[in-house]
């Protein structure tokens, strides 16, 4: 039996670590193989061009992008849980890697003093930096996956990711202008790097290579038009027209035939080495230099891939595992970095091609990797005359989806202003400060907005919808019933140390008086009455108190015992209890309290901390001491258990104040104060029947 359990555990671990085993067993060869092949070939053609284009974004020779479109894909085939995303270079990640590369190995000036870079060319130094950063990103993703912390991406809201990727698109657009215009522009990194880059471009704008610009404009126009046609007629086209691949072939042929490199001085891809390079070990000193930048890369790369995978998993009705995705991307990046590829995630446009062309599983991804491998091993030399302006144009056209996110601003402003502020702050900070700092700023603003929403929730006073057992905000309805002397107060958030005072203030505002002040004034009045009785200035008769002198209560009296005024009212030594809602003797004035019952709706209160428990108990005692009956309804059992564990209840605050539903509490109040409520003509409009269980 124990051996059988061990075998089951091994099987479960294998299926968990290698999801490919699970879906390969149910792979329908006749139904899925052909669509996967067609999808893989289409995606592979796009991956070749995008890989080279995004290689430029990472400030590396273009062909290293082909490595990133191959090695991570192979590993993800075995370990990933999504069947539809296309793994490989992602422009935002490439740009973040490029900023690290240019910081450590600048275009002008000496590189950072790092052991292991001696004797290497600039390109080799940059490749080592990129692969080391990628390896570190992989370690972080693998570590988070093993520690089961895939939930961290939940802190990156759609609004934050939208603002961040929009800013990244602007960075990418500016970074590609030098290729489109044919200018030599040094790379900048750090805050305001985009501004500095634009300044250099504008200073050199008169040196624009007209041939590069014309080629880029033609490519952008053609690719844009055909992509629009693909979207418009996608239901009629068997596969999208691979316009990027077609334009690349045409551009290569024209550039080679007319010798653009020598005649017009355009910058071309140049010699592409055939085959793959030897594995390289990461540089530990680069780990130390780039740890702070690698972490946001790990988060962004996984967050984007997971969000895209989640969309396709819902659409095609299967589940994905966030922690396994982290492990898959971590191992993919570590393995790829060993062979000099840079960090991989998923490109939205490439994943859309893989899914829209009929891809059913990651077999399509594996075939796309084979297409990339064929180019790398056999026909890469044919891309040598390809102008870099073509790659820049392809990158810019593929930014359309991210740049169009600017249209979200009016919608967010109308629907949710705090979310709009998060979007604007994230986008602005990412543009001006750089993507890493911008992401941190955006996350900070988002967390602040969440804290503020919880700290200052929208509390409301409820009323009964006539003839029903439903209670809603009285501001939103006309046909409502509010029994005289009853207040229903709804708390729409957890109560904790940061919002307990806000909650108290809102309750005081809803009641129209401060219970503590009323309690103190009653105790002061009681002291005065006792003093007057003792001195003979006040007498008790069958008709009530009889004044023998006139007096008033001054605020300065009994200052020595002011701290005792918040204690329960003590009618000891008095001939009768005092009705505080009637006129008092000796010109003593205490504000009248019209409320006799308060219902606190705890349906939306998910937790209470110790500070909130203390504050709530103090507030309840103040209310009870001025003869207000308090009812707490719809309280979560977990909170009730916590109240008992924390010794919340005593002689004043008792468990009997808790009711299962708001309507139960209301019926109890109406029965208890039947004489008063029967005077109200609307009394019968509260439904007394309770639903059957």
């Amino acid at each position: 039996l124990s051996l059988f359990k061990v075998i089951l555990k091994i099987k479960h671990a294998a299926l968990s670590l290698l999801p490919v085993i699970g879906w390969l067993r149910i792979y329908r060869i006749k139904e899925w193989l052909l669509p996967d092949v067609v999808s893989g070939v289409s995606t592979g053609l796009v991956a070749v061009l995008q890989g080279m284009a995004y290689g430029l974004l990472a400030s590396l020779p273009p062909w290293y992008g082909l490595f990133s479109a191959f090695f991570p894909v192979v590993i993800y085939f075995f370990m990933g849980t999504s069947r539809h995303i296309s793994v490989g270079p992602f422009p935002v990640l490439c740009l973040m890697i490029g900023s690290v590369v240019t910081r450590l190995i600048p275009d002008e000036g000496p590189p950072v003093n790092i052991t292991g870079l001696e004797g290497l060319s600039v390109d080799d130094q940059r490749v080592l930096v990129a692969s080391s950063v990628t390896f570190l990103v992989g370690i972080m993703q693998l570590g988070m996956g093993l520690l089961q912390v895939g939930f961290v991406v939940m802190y990156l809201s759609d609004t934050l990711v939208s603002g961040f990727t929009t800013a990244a698109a602007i960075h990418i657009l500016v970074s590609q202008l030098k290729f489109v215009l044919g200018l030599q522009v040094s790379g900048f990194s750090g805050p305001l790097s985009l501004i500095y880059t634009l300044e250099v471009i504008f200073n050199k704008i008169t040196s624009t290579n007209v041939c590069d610009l014309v080629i880029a404009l033609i490519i952008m126009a053609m690719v844009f038009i055909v992509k629009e046609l693909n979207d418009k007629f996608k239901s009629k086209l068997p596969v999208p027209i691979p316009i990027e691949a077609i334009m690349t072939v045409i551009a290569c042929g024209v550039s080679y035939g007319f010798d653009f490199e020598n005649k017009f001085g355009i910058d071309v891809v140049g010699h592409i080495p055939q085959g793959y390079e030897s594995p390289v070990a990461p540089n530990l000193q680069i780990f130390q230099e780039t740890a702070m930048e690698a972490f946001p890369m790990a988060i962004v790369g996984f967050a984007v891939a997971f969000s895209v995978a989640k969309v396709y998993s819902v659409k095609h009705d299967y589940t994905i595992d966030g922690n396994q995705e982290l492990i898959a991307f971590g191992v993919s990046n570590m393995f790829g970095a060993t062979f000099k590829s840079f960090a991989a995630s998923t490109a939205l446009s490439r994943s859309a091609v893989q899914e829209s062309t009929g891809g059913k599983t990651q077999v399509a991804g594996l075939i796309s990797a084979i297409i990339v491998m064929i180019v790398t091993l056999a026909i890469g030399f044919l891309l040598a005359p390809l102008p870099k302006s073509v790659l820049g144009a392809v990158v810019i056209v593929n930014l359309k989806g991210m740049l169009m996110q600017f249209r979200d601003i009016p919608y967010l402003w109308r629907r949710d202003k705090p979310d709009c502020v998060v979007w604007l702050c994230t986008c602005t900070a990412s543009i001006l400060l750089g993507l890493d700092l911008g992401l941190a700023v955006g996350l900070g603003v988002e967390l602040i907005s969440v804290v503020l929403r919880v700290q200052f929730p929208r509390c409301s006073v409820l009323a009964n919808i006539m003839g029903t057992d439903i209670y809603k905000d009285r501001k939103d309805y006309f046909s409502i019933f509010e029994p005289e002397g009853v207040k229903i107060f709804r708390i729409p958030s957890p109560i904790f140390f940061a919002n307990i005072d806000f909650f108290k203030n809102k309750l005081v505002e809803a009641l129209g008086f401060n219970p503590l002040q009323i309690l103190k004034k009653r105790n002061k009045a009681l002291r005065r009455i006792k003093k007057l009785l003792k001195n003979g200035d006040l007498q008790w008769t069958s008709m009530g108190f009889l004044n023998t002198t006139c007096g008033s209560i001054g605020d300065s009296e009994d200052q020595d015992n002011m701290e005792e005024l918040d204690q329960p009212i003590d009618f000891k030594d008095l001939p009768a209890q005092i009705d505080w809602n009637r006129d008092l003797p000796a010109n003593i004035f205490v504000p009248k309290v019209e409320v006799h019952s308060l219902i606190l709706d705890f349906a939306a209160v998910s937790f209470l901390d110790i500070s909130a428990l203390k504050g709530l108990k103090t507030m309840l005692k103040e209310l009870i001491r001025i003869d207000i009956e308090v009812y707490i309804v719809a309280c979560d059992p977990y909170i009730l258990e916590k109240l008992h564990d924390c010794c919340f209840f005593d002689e004043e605050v008792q468990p009997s104040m808790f009711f299962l539903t708001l309507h139960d509490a209301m019926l109890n109040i109406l029965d208890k104060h039947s004489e008063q409520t029967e005077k109200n003509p609307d009394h019968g409009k509260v439904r007394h029947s309770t639903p059957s269980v």
Side-chain angles (χ1 to χ4, degrees):
L1 183 62
S2 60
L3 179 61
F4 180 70
K5 289 182 178 179
V6 171
I7 293 174
L8 282 179
K9 288 182 179 180
I10 294 174
K11 179 182 177 181
H12 176 74
L15 289 174
S16 176
L17 191 60
L18 298 172
V20 64
I21 299 173
W23 60 260
L24 268 185
R25 291 184 302 177
I26 60 171
Y27 191 82
R28 305 172 189 171
I29 297 177
K30 293 182 179 180
E31 298 177 31
W32 292 355
L33 184 58
L34 182 59
D36 276 343
V37 171
V38 173
S39 175
V41 173
S42 302
T43 307
L45 294 175
V46 176
V48 169
L49 188 59
Q50 287 190 355
M52 296 180 67
Y54 296 157
L56 294 178
L57 272 180
S59 300
L60 301 174
W63 59 87
Y64 285 99
L66 299 177
F67 298 172
S68 297
F70 174 73
F71 291 107
V73 180
V74 174
I75 298 299
Y76 189 85
F77 172 82
F78 293 101
M79 304 188 70
T81 59
S82 174
R83 302 177 191 174
H84 291 89
I85 64 171
S86 175
V87 177
F90 175 53
V92 177
L93 270 185
C94 295
L95 189 67
M96 296 175 79
I97 290 172
S99 67
V100 175
V101 168
T102 53
R103 178 175 69 83
L104 298 183
I105 315 294
D107 291 325
E108 298 176 358
V112 174
N113 186 18
I114 295 176
T115 304
L117 298 182
E118 304 88 353
L120 299 177
S121 65
V122 172
D123 284 346
D124 289 340
Q125 289 177 341
R126 291 189 166 187
V127 169
L128 181 59
V129 169
S131 62
S132 297
V133 173
T134 298
F135 198 92
L136 182 56
V137 167
I139 291 175
M140 291 178 175
Q141 290 176 331
L142 178 61
M144 288 189 289
L146 294 175
L147 294 174
Q148 304 285 295
V149 292
F151 64 88
V152 294
V153 299
M154 302 305 173
Y155 292 100
L156 301 181
S157 66
D158 292 343
T159 305
L160 184 144
V161 172
S162 175
F164 177 76
T165 53
T166 303
I170 294 174
H171 276 281
I172 294 168
L173 174 63
V174 171
S175 71
Q176 296 306 293
L177 288 178
K178 64 181 181 181
F179 299 114
V180 170
L181 300 176
L183 301 175
Q184 296 295 322
V185 178
S186 300
F188 295 94
S189 60
L192 301 180
S193 59
L194 184 138
I195 305 299
Y196 298 142
T197 302
L198 284 175
E199 180 185 10
V200 173
I201 289 174
F202 285 130
N203 288 337
K204 295 184 176 182
I205 197 73
T206 54
S207 304
T208 298
N209 188 310
V210 178
C211 183
D212 268 324
L213 180 59
V214 171
I215 291 173
L217 291 176
I218 293 173
I219 295 294
M220 283 191 282
M222 291 299 298
V223 172
F224 178 79
I225 292 171
V226 175
K227 276 182 172 287
E228 290 297 308
L229 293 175
N230 281 339
D231 288 339
K232 187 174 183 180
F233 299 106
K234 60 183 177 182
S235 60
K236 298 180 181 180
L237 292 171
V239 293
I241 301 172
I243 185 61
E244 293 157 315
I246 293 172
M247 295 307 296
T248 299
V249 172
I250 294 174
C252 282
V254 173
S255 174
Y256 178 77
F258 291 94
D259 196 14
F260 280 178
E261 181 180 10
N262 295 319
K263 285 187 178 180
F264 301 103
I266 67 172
D267 197 8
V268 298
V269 170
H271 173 67
I272 298 179
Q274 289 187 340
Y276 294 103
E277 300 184 13
S278 302
V280 61
N283 187 299
L284 298 182
Q285 194 172 346
I286 294 176
F287 283 4
Q288 299 174 359
E289 293 282 345
T290 61
M292 295 299 294
E293 293 153 308
F295 185 71
M297 291 184 205
I299 297 296
V300 170
F302 170 64
V304 172
F306 184 72
S307 61
V308 175
K310 190 162 57 174
V311 170
Y312 288 131
S313 69
V314 171
K315 181 177 179 180
H316 296 278
D317 192 25
Y318 62 90
T319 59
I320 56 174
D321 183 346
N323 292 310
Q324 179 59 29
E325 287 292 290
L326 270 171
I327 293 173
F329 277 104
V331 176
S332 295
N333 282 322
M334 292 170 66
F335 180 76
T338 306
F339 290 92
K340 301 185 179 179
S341 74
F342 48 82
S345 179
T346 182
L348 309 185
S349 58
R350 201 167 58 244
S351 293
V353 169
Q354 180 165 318
E355 192 268 344
S356 63
T357 51
K360 303 296 183 183
T361 66
Q362 279 300 328
V363 170
L366 188 63
I367 292 174
S368 72
I370 293 173
I371 298 296
V372 174
M373 181 182 68
I374 292 172
V375 172
T376 306
L377 296 178
I379 60 175
F381 67 93
L382 296 176
L383 298 174
L386 179 65
K388 289 185 178 179
S389 56
V390 173
L391 298 177
V394 169
V395 171
I396 291 173
V397 172
N398 280 292
L399 296 176
K400 177 199 166 189
M402 289 193 284
L403 291 174
M404 292 299 284
Q405 291 176 139
F406 274 112
R407 295 184 301 180
D408 294 346
I409 298 176
Y411 172 82
L412 289 172
W413 185 254
R414 290 193 303 268
R415 305 295 181 185
D416 195 325
K417 289 181 175 59
D419 262 3
C420 188
V421 171
V422 171
W423 196 102
L424 291 172
C425 289
T426 303
C427 186
T428 304
S430 298
I431 290 173
L432 297 178
L433 303 179
L435 296 180
D436 47 355
L437 292 177
L439 180 63
V441 170
L443 187 58
V445 173
E446 181 182 55
L447 293 178
I448 289 173
S449 74
V450 172
V451 170
L452 291 178
R453 292 191 207 204
V454 177
Q455 188 172 350
F456 304 107
R458 183 180 178 273
C459 299
S460 55
V461 177
L462 306 184
N464 176 253
I465 307 299
M466 286 187 179
T468 72
D469 58 359
I470 299 172
Y471 297 81
K472 295 291 184 182
D473 191 337
R474 66 180 181 181
K475 295 180 181 178
D476 300 333
Y477 293 85
F478 295 104
S479 299
I480 59 175
F481 169 56
E482 295 182 271
E484 185 178 349
V486 180
K487 289 286 184 182
I488 308 171
F489 187 73
R490 182 176 184 272
I491 303 101
S493 74
I495 306 175
F496 60 108
F497 67 93
N499 67 359
I500 182 64
D501 289 333
F502 175 82
F503 163 57
K504 288 181 180 179
N505 294 334
K506 283 296 180 180
L507 181 58
V508 168
E509 184 181 319
L511 291 171
F513 59 85
N514 188 320
L516 180 59
Q517 291 181 3
I518 297 294
L519 178 61
K520 288 183 176 180
K521 287 184 178 182
R522 288 186 180 183
N523 272 320
K524 288 174 70 175
L526 192 62
R527 286 185 187 179
R528 182 62 175 166
I529 291 172
K530 288 181 177 180
K531 186 175 181 181
L532 290 173
L533 286 171
K534 183 178 180 181
N535 294 338
D537 296 327
L538 193 65
Q539 294 180 359
W540 172 258
T541 68
S542 59
M543 300 296 294
F545 286 108
L546 176 66
N547 290 335
T548 59
T549 185
C550 293
S552 60
I553 298 178
D555 291 337
S556 60
E557 293 187 16
D558 297 327
Q559 294 296 324
D560 293 339
N561 297 315
M562 288 294 290
E563 68 277 0
E564 298 178 3
L565 294 179
D566 59 352
Q567 298 302 309
I569 296 173
D570 183 9
F571 291 105
K572 188 174 65 173
D573 300 332
L574 284 180
Q577 287 195 354
I578 298 174
D579 185 349
W580 297 106
N581 285 332
R582 292 187 177 183
D583 292 334
L584 300 177
N587 293 332
I588 298 172
F589 174 75
V590 174
K592 294 180 174 60
V593 175
E594 304 295 338
V595 177
H596 59 71
S597 300
L598 171 67
I599 301 177
L600 298 177
D601 184 359
F602 269 39
V605 179
S606 58
F607 74 87
L608 292 165
D609 68 359
I610 297 299
S611 299
L613 286 177
K614 293 179 179 178
L616 178 64
K617 187 171 184 177
T618 300
M619 182 180 60
L620 293 179
K621 285 188 173 184
E622 292 169 0
L623 290 164
I624 292 169
R625 288 169 183 176
I626 60 172
D627 302 322
I628 293 179
E629 299 168 6
V630 183
Y631 302 84
I632 299 177
V633 301
C635 186
D636 188 279
Y638 160 77
I639 295 179
L640 272 174
E641 183 181 348
K642 185 171 183 178
L643 295 178
H644 282 285
D645 292 341
C646 295
C647 301
F648 182 78
F649 301 106
D650 55 24
E651 294 181 357
E652 291 180 283
V653 181
Q654 298 182 356
S656 58
M657 67 171 53
F658 286 83
F659 280 73
L660 187 62
T661 68
L662 197 162
H663 195 58
D664 289 338
M666 178 61 76
L667 294 179
N668 181 75
I669 293 170
L670 294 178
D671 290 339
K672 204 170 187 179
H673 300 270
S674 56
E675 293 182 3
Q676 181 177 356
T677 54
E678 283 173 0
K679 297 177 183 178
N680 192 326
D682 290 330
H683 169 58
K685 296 183 179 180
V686 176
R687 195 177 82 177
H688 282 257
S689 60
T690 56
S692 59
V693 179

